[in-house]
Amino acid sequence: MTSLLRTNKEIAEIYDRQIDTVYRVCYSFMKNKPETEDMVQETFLRLITSEKAFENIRHERAWLIVTASNLCRDSLKHWWRRGESLDDNPALAAQAAPERSPVMDAILQLPRDYKDIVYMYYYEGYTTQEIAHALGCPPSTVRSRLLRARQRLKSMLGGEPND
């Protein structure tokens, strides 16, 4: 039996603080509203059953971002999703994200490893050290992925790539 360390009030407060962030992360993977909502729900269910103690709100947000990303990745890897592409389902591809812009469209096209880091660095304000800790990889890996992601974004958005 899992121990529930958080009260309903604490869960509600975390939900109110972090729902927009978790939704954006899930949408960046799932690219459609119904599956995004499922992953958001699953993320908060993990929070409810987790015994993780957070040091502060930034740690709480980082844990939720990593958990949401992992859940979405697992869902996308599941056997019934293999081979599925947005090209196969134009209705899903046509759905608009909550905040669409050419930059966000380009970010959504990045490989998952780059997308997570760009999101955490630029949209959530995490340092490369904090991202490395959250993702369990060396800071140098985060910095190199961030550099490669910037180069790809520059090329995708019509800038001259630096070689």
Side-chain angles (χ1 to χ4, degrees):
M1 182 76 179
T2 304
S3 170
L4 301 178
L5 298 177
R6 294 179 179 84
T7 65
N8 288 342
K9 182 181 178 193
E10 289 170 319
I11 296 295
E13 288 171 356
I14 293 171
Y15 180 87
D16 289 341
R17 266 193 310 268
Q18 306 297 347
I19 183 62
D20 291 337
T21 298
V22 173
Y23 188 90
R24 283 191 303 265
V25 168
C26 292
Y27 193 91
S28 74
F29 283 94
M30 308 312 290
K31 297 183 174 50
N32 69 72
K33 188 175 177 178
E35 288 182 284
T36 296
E37 290 171 351
D38 288 346
M39 292 297 101
V40 168
Q41 179 179 343
E42 187 62 32
T43 301
F44 282 100
L45 285 173
R46 291 282 171 97
L47 172 70
I48 290 168
T49 60
S50 169
E51 295 182 7
K52 180 73 173 166
F54 301 118
E55 298 165 10
N56 53 42
I57 291 175
R58 286 179 63 82
H59 182 229
E60 164 190 293
R61 185 176 343 134
W63 185 89
L64 287 165
I65 289 169
V66 170
T67 300
S69 297
N70 290 340
L71 287 169
C72 290
R73 277 191 196 103
D74 290 347
S75 175
L76 292 169
K77 283 192 276 186
H78 202 274
W79 66 267
W80 68 75
R81 306 257 342 201
R82 289 193 182 154
E84 182 178 332
S85 166
L86 287 180
D87 296 333
D88 299 334
N89 193 341
L92 292 180
Q95 289 182 339
E99 300 171 17
R100 292 303 282 235
S101 70
V103 174
M104 182 55 77
D105 288 339
I107 290 170
L108 292 175
Q109 293 175 27
L110 290 172
R112 288 188 184 109
D113 288 342
Y114 296 166
K115 188 185 319 185
D116 289 349
I117 290 170
V118 167
Y119 181 81
M120 291 177 80
Y121 187 80
Y122 288 106
Y123 287 86
E124 297 298 331
Y126 286 96
T127 66
T128 56
Q129 190 75 20
E130 291 169 325
I131 296 168
H133 179 71
L135 298 178
C137 64
S140 59
T141 300
V142 171
R143 287 189 297 274
S144 65
R145 287 179 184 170
L146 191 56
L147 175 65
R148 286 189 216 118
R150 286 183 193 132
Q151 290 169 341
R152 285 187 182 205
L153 286 169
K154 189 173 184 179
S155 175
M156 292 164 72
L157 294 169
E160 292 293 320
N162 297 337
D163 292 324

